[in-house]
Amino acid sequence: MMFSRFPIRRQPAGTVLCAALALVFAFAGAAPAEQRWSGKVTDPSGEGLAGVEAGFDGRRQVSDEHGRFTFTLPAAGTYALELSAGPYSTTRQIALPLPTGEDFAITVDWPLVIQERQEVYAVSKRVERLVEAPAAVTSLLPSELASQSSAGQVPRLLEFTPGAQVAQSDLQDFNLNTRGFNSAINRRVLTLVDGRQTSVPEFLGVNEWGALSLPLDEFASVELVRGPGSALYGAGAFSGVLSLTTKGSQDTPGYRARLSGGELSTVRAEARVGGALPGSWHWRLGASHQESDHLTVSRVDSVEYEPDLLPRELIAPPFDKLRTSFASLRFDRAAEASTLTLEAGTGSFRGGTTIAPLGRTQADKVERPWARINFNTRSWNLLGFYSGRDGDNQIGLSSGAALYSEGYNLGAEVQGNRELWDGRGLLAAGLAHGRQRVDSRDPRGIHGIFAGIAEAHQTSAFAQLRFDATGELTLVGSARYDDSTLHSGRFSPRLALTWAPAPRHHLRLSYNDAFQSPTLVEFEVRTAVGPPVDLSGIPLSLGDLLGGDTLGFESVPQLALGNPGLAVEEIRAWELGYSAGFGSTFLAVNLYRNELENFTTSLLPQVGTSLGRLNPLYGPYTPPAGLSGDAASGLLQALQLALPPQVFAFLSNDSGGAPILAILSVTNFGEATAEGIEVEVSHFVGSRWQLKLSAASASYTVRDSPPENLLLPNAPELQAAASVIGSHEDWDGALHLRWVDGFDWSSGFFQGPVPSYALADLHLAYQLNDSLRLGIDVSNLTDHRHYQVFGGNLLRRRALLHLTLTGR
């Protein structure tokens, strides 16, 4: 049962959910439902145009994927409706009210592809056109989300994004990174769901994707910002930001149910229902559950590849099924000038396998409850969230040890926006606060990861100023100050210049300075790496010199210890970007140079490596202060004579002076440079077919890499992708191709080659009638057995057939 050990953990999710219900009933009936009118903007062929800005009566909307927008119905009369997209605009007169059931239809002939009309939010924490954003960003189209909706694997949506490295280890174990220097536990890309941090509290930035197995077509937008983002987001945005925004309940009325099944004995069921409430409120309840075989095989007697490099394991995987579940309840009050959202839910998974630097683990059960409250207007955004985690019986296959942890992330943020200089300037500024708490006690009350309760908190202030200097030239300056118990105060700036030298052509130049904070585990871990050692015979051998006192040597723990003296990892990045539209073709090119330093090692021997003594807190053993000089000297001599040199070197003191064997710790090391180019081309054939091509090339230079902790980019130097996405009458589908060049991998125990691989994914769907849709999704179409992370599982084909029922 979640929160069973600590009553305080019951409060955040429960309090917010109760508040949601109370507010719904308080507001219900407070005001009559607003009457609204709708418009639809299309091209000459009749296809809806997404991303067109509609201005009406001092208000603003952006057309959805079908070209639709809605406004509150004003008093009867004639009004001006302004439409704009990129360099194009038009004004139409509209007489309201419209005839019942009719939309106001507008046809425009603007030669813009969807990317030139798309708007994004994540780059600047405000809505702006994708081509004018001050960073490289990919925003997936609704057709791309729908084509992979049945699998419930969020990172796979980004496999075909230039510059992104998506490495899969098991069905729900992924490493998502951009522009190199990946790791088994990667936390360089900040992941946000509606602004809520979803990462594991003790490993800030690490995501458990099995707990995010919601239907992918529930997302209104998926945006990946490539490159550092600390200037607005802080420590987690070292290499990028993944922003996932779900649809509001007002946008998903009625019901939907989907049943999927196929290879790997996969069965998945999901359902959603929602509707309107009095007082402009809407609600939505959703749930999903999946069971499947996983891809994990035993490595006790043999391994599935590279037998000379892949380490054996102590125990076989105890679980043969992967089970994931997700449920949420959401309320939205969408007024004309503000929106209030209240939601809560939980995700869970059982039997999932995760690769980490010290080996593979399988989790008996992990539950991830969460809650969010969000209020925004045109000028303000207020957010509060809770992300919990209860992980029971997480079994290390290399050691057989079971770990437990229970904790949470709490966060709050307020942001304001204000226009300056008659609209030529826009200032956005805000404050943020976060707190983490983790308890690693097992059912016996024994701490397994930390010595006690581990806690951290952060406080931040951020701002961005955008100034339109000439209409074609825009200057953007961003900065954030972060202070935390995990690091000293940090200032992170970003400067960018965007220039439109001609219609449909955009240039961007930017500089970023960002950082990555140590985790609670890297700071405070105190966990046994072997049984206690009885060394009491050594002090007893000194007889009367110590008065028969064993001085704590009867049970000396062997420990892996965190290092609170760790520095932050740092990155400085320069980027040049170009995008342009040529008829029905869109081109985007990005060049970058990243300079990185102060990497954090994996757990290494405290002494005996080329890095010297890693952790200065645990120096050579010091006898108790109460001993006489002769007694202290005699004890040290006896220990040095009796113990092997390496063991004597490990001997140290804990904070209370008791003897310990400080076996493993962490420290900072190394410098590296990454340079690369990313190219993406999209070509549209009519309004229903799209061809996408992308490629990325990178080169890496590593300096000061110790042989004991080899620093590698863990990423390919070359990768390419191609996609064909389209529809015809009641059919739609997509074919995705991806090629990844081979590369070497080094992360903890796992060091070896990752051979190149080429994959194809196929998605087809047919609309049977107004309510039923039948589809098939096949990942790894050719069943190419391969691995994407050295130490990860062998991947294989999975074909899923799905049937979807929708209605109002």
Side-chain angles (χ1 to χ4, degrees):
M1 182 70 180
M2 290 181 296
F3 315 127
S4 58
R5 297 198 290 270
F6 305 101
I8 188 173
R9 310 220 175 142
R10 196 178 298 121
Q11 295 174 6
T15 299
V16 173
L17 182 56
C18 290
L21 293 171
L23 280 170
V24 167
F25 290 113
F27 279 106
E34 294 177 323
Q35 292 183 300
R36 304 179 73 83
W37 69 273
S38 300
K40 183 176 182 179
V41 56
T42 64
D43 64 15
S45 71
E47 289 296 318
L49 293 178
V52 175
E53 182 177 311
F56 171 77
D57 197 26
R59 289 159 287 175
R60 175 185 177 277
Q61 291 284 331
V62 176
S63 61
D64 64 15
E65 63 267 30
H66 306 294
R68 294 185 181 275
F69 52 86
T70 62
F71 288 102
T72 299
L73 184 66
T78 300
Y79 295 84
L81 175 66
E82 298 175 351
L83 301 175
S84 63
Y88 302 99
S89 63
T90 186
T91 300
R92 305 291 174 88
Q93 298 298 310
I94 177 172
L96 295 174
L98 296 170
T100 303
E102 290 190 11
D103 291 337
F104 183 70
I106 311 102
T107 299
V108 297
D109 189 9
W110 294 341
L112 295 175
V113 297
I114 181 62
Q115 286 88 347
E116 295 175 278
R117 291 181 272 114
Q118 266 187 301
E119 293 190 317
V120 294
Y121 178 84
V123 177
S124 300
K125 287 193 173 183
R126 59 174 291 272
V127 176
E128 60 192 343
R129 292 176 63 210
L130 181 148
V131 294
E132 296 173 348
V137 57
T138 295
S139 180
L140 299 185
L141 301 176
S143 58
E144 296 173 294
L145 299 177
S147 69
Q148 301 188 56
S149 59
S150 65
Q153 296 169 303
V154 173
R156 293 194 64 241
L157 292 170
L158 302 161
E159 286 181 323
F160 310 97
T161 301
Q165 288 104 35
V166 180
Q168 183 178 1
S169 301
D170 197 29
L171 283 181
Q172 290 290 358
D173 186 33
F174 295 86
N175 292 320
L176 171 62
N177 193 43
T178 72
R179 300 177 176 176
F181 296 98
N182 203 350
S183 65
I185 297 183
N186 183 66
R187 58 191 190 89
R188 299 182 185 277
V189 174
L190 176 67
T191 300
L192 303 172
V193 178
D194 296 315
R196 174 178 63 88
Q197 284 201 38
T198 59
S199 59
V200 178
E202 57 264 46
F203 288 108
L204 282 177
V206 174
N207 279 283
E208 293 172 314
W209 300 105
L212 282 176
S213 60
L214 70 165
L216 302 185
D217 47 9
E218 292 293 320
F219 292 120
S221 68
V222 174
E223 300 175 16
L224 178 64
V225 182
R226 304 189 301 279
S230 293
L232 288 179
Y233 291 96
F238 189 84
S239 295
V241 177
L242 174 60
S243 177
L244 307 167
T245 303
T246 57
K247 297 175 181 176
S249 55
Q250 68 272 21
D251 301 320
T252 54
Y255 62 86
R256 188 193 66 193
R258 179 185 289 132
L259 182 64
S260 307
E263 290 183 306
L264 294 177
S265 303
T266 300
V267 177
R268 180 181 175 90
E270 54 194 59
R272 181 199 74 206
V273 62
L277 294 168
S280 300
W281 284 92
H282 292 78
W283 66 280
R284 181 177 70 225
L285 177 66
S288 68
H289 179 77
Q290 176 178 301
E291 294 195 10
S292 174
D293 296 338
H294 54 60
L295 303 170
T296 309
V297 300
S298 174
R299 293 178 181 169
V300 174
D301 299 318
S302 62
V303 296
E304 60 269 46
Y305 58 88
E306 294 291 347
D308 295 331
L309 297 175
L310 195 61
R312 303 292 197 275
E313 294 174 339
L314 182 64
I315 65 171
F319 310 109
D320 59 1
K321 287 284 187 181
L322 171 65
R323 297 175 173 86
T324 64
S325 299
F326 185 88
S328 66
L329 176 62
R330 173 169 178 158
F331 298 96
D332 293 281
R333 186 177 189 274
E336 185 61 36
S338 65
T339 301
L340 174 64
T341 299
L342 303 156
E343 63 175 338
T346 186
S348 68
F349 63 94
R350 306 187 69 165
T353 302
T354 302
I355 185 172
L358 297 184
R360 297 188 302 174
T361 64
Q362 267 201 323
D364 186 0
K365 187 174 184 181
V366 175
E367 297 195 19
R368 300 297 309 272
W370 56 271
R372 179 176 72 98
I373 181 170
N374 194 186
F375 177 74
N376 66 72
T377 69
R378 295 189 185 95
S379 301
W380 292 95
N381 184 65
L382 288 81
L383 169 70
F385 69 84
Y386 160 83
S387 294
R389 184 181 189 274
D390 187 0
D392 287 341
N393 198 24
Q394 300 162 90
I395 301 169
L397 302 185
S398 297
S399 64
L403 296 177
Y404 296 76
S405 67
E406 190 172 3
Y408 59 74
N409 285 333
L410 286 176
E413 182 176 297
V414 57
Q415 177 182 324
N417 305 289
R418 182 177 181 180
E419 288 189 352
L420 304 172
W421 306 303
D422 296 324
R424 294 180 63 189
L426 180 65
L427 175 66
L431 301 171
H433 182 76
R435 182 174 294 272
Q436 297 78 43
R437 183 181 190 272
V438 182
D439 190 318
S440 63
R441 281 181 287 184
D442 64 17
R444 300 168 298 170
I446 299 174
H447 288 282
I449 303 175
F450 305 106
I453 306 297
E455 294 183 299
H457 60 80
Q458 308 84 33
T459 301
S460 311
F462 59 89
Q464 175 170 290
L465 178 62
R466 181 186 184 95
F467 178 67
D468 294 329
T470 66
E472 292 80 25
L473 182 65
T474 301
L475 307 176
V476 182
S478 314
R480 177 169 169 134
Y481 182 80
D482 291 271
D483 194 17
S484 171
T485 54
L486 296 175
H487 60 81
S488 58
R490 292 286 306 184
F491 177 74
S492 303
R494 177 176 71 187
L495 298 173
L497 180 151
T498 65
W499 180 41
R504 305 187 70 188
H505 292 259
H506 295 82
L507 283 166
R508 179 189 70 254
L509 178 66
S510 66
Y511 168 78
N512 272 279
D513 193 319
F515 73 102
Q516 176 72 69
S517 167
T519 67
L520 275 170
V521 169
E522 292 167 339
F523 247 54
E524 299 189 26
V525 66
R526 180 188 168 101
T527 189
V529 295
V533 180
D534 184 359
L535 300 178
S536 59
I538 299 175
L540 290 176
S541 69
L542 298 179
D544 293 340
L545 188 63
L546 297 179
D549 194 340
T550 62
L551 301 176
F553 280 94
E554 66 276 8
S555 181
V556 181
Q558 303 184 68
L559 300 174
L561 297 159
N563 185 353
L566 285 175
V568 300
E569 299 183 26
E570 298 181 63
I571 183 172
R572 292 171 296 279
W574 292 261
E575 187 172 314
L576 176 65
Y578 169 72
S579 64
F582 303 95
S584 298
T585 301
F586 179 77
L587 169 69
V589 181
N590 292 284
L591 297 94
Y592 64 88
R593 175 183 170 87
N594 296 339
E595 297 180 352
L596 308 92
E597 62 182 355
N598 287 342
F599 293 88
T600 300
T601 65
S602 300
L603 284 168
L604 295 177
Q606 162 74 343
V607 294
T609 71
S610 60
L611 294 170
R613 184 174 292 272
L614 303 187
N615 194 333
L617 284 182
Y618 300 98
Y621 174 73
T622 302
L627 293 182
S628 66
D630 290 342
S633 176
L635 176 60
L636 288 175
Q637 291 179 12
L639 290 168
Q640 191 167 9
L641 288 173
L643 298 176
Q646 183 73 3
V647 176
F648 180 73
F650 286 141
L651 193 63
S652 185
N653 306 81
D654 65 12
S655 58
I660 60 171
L661 289 169
I663 305 296
L664 302 174
S665 193
V666 292
T667 191
N668 295 111
F669 77 106
E671 297 180 357
T673 300
E675 297 177 327
I677 180 172
E678 303 159 351
V679 181
E680 182 175 11
V681 180
S682 295
H683 178 70
F684 293 83
V685 181
S687 58
R688 293 179 175 267
W689 290 89
Q690 179 187 9
L691 171 65
K692 294 182 65 175
L693 302 172
S694 66
S697 174
S699 63
Y700 307 99
T701 303
V702 175
R703 297 178 294 278
D704 301 328
S705 175
E708 301 87 357
N709 197 103
L710 190 62
L711 176 60
L712 294 177
N714 292 334
E717 293 189 351
L718 293 170
Q719 58 182 11
S723 299
V724 178
I725 305 169
S727 62
H728 177 69
E729 296 180 349
D730 294 325
W731 288 90
D732 60 74
L735 176 64
H736 302 289
L737 307 174
R738 181 165 70 117
W739 173 79
V740 176
D741 196 12
F743 58 95
D744 290 326
W745 180 273
S746 176
S747 182
F749 288 173
F750 299 112
Q751 299 187 21
V754 177
S756 62
Y757 54 89
L759 303 174
D761 293 353
L762 176 66
H763 311 278
L764 290 173
Y766 179 69
Q767 194 72 37
L768 298 170
N769 54 42
D770 290 342
S771 301
L772 285 174
R773 181 180 177 86
L774 179 67
I776 184 170
D777 296 336
V778 186
S779 60
N780 193 358
L781 183 65
T782 61
D783 197 21
H784 174 47
R785 305 298 172 97
H786 69 292
Y787 57 92
Q788 299 178 5
V789 170
F790 189 82
N793 299 330
L794 276 179
L795 306 178
R796 50 183 289 192
R797 183 187 63 214
R798 187 168 73 149
L800 299 178
L801 190 69
H802 55 90
L803 181 66
T804 305
L805 172 68
T806 59
R808 296 245 178 197

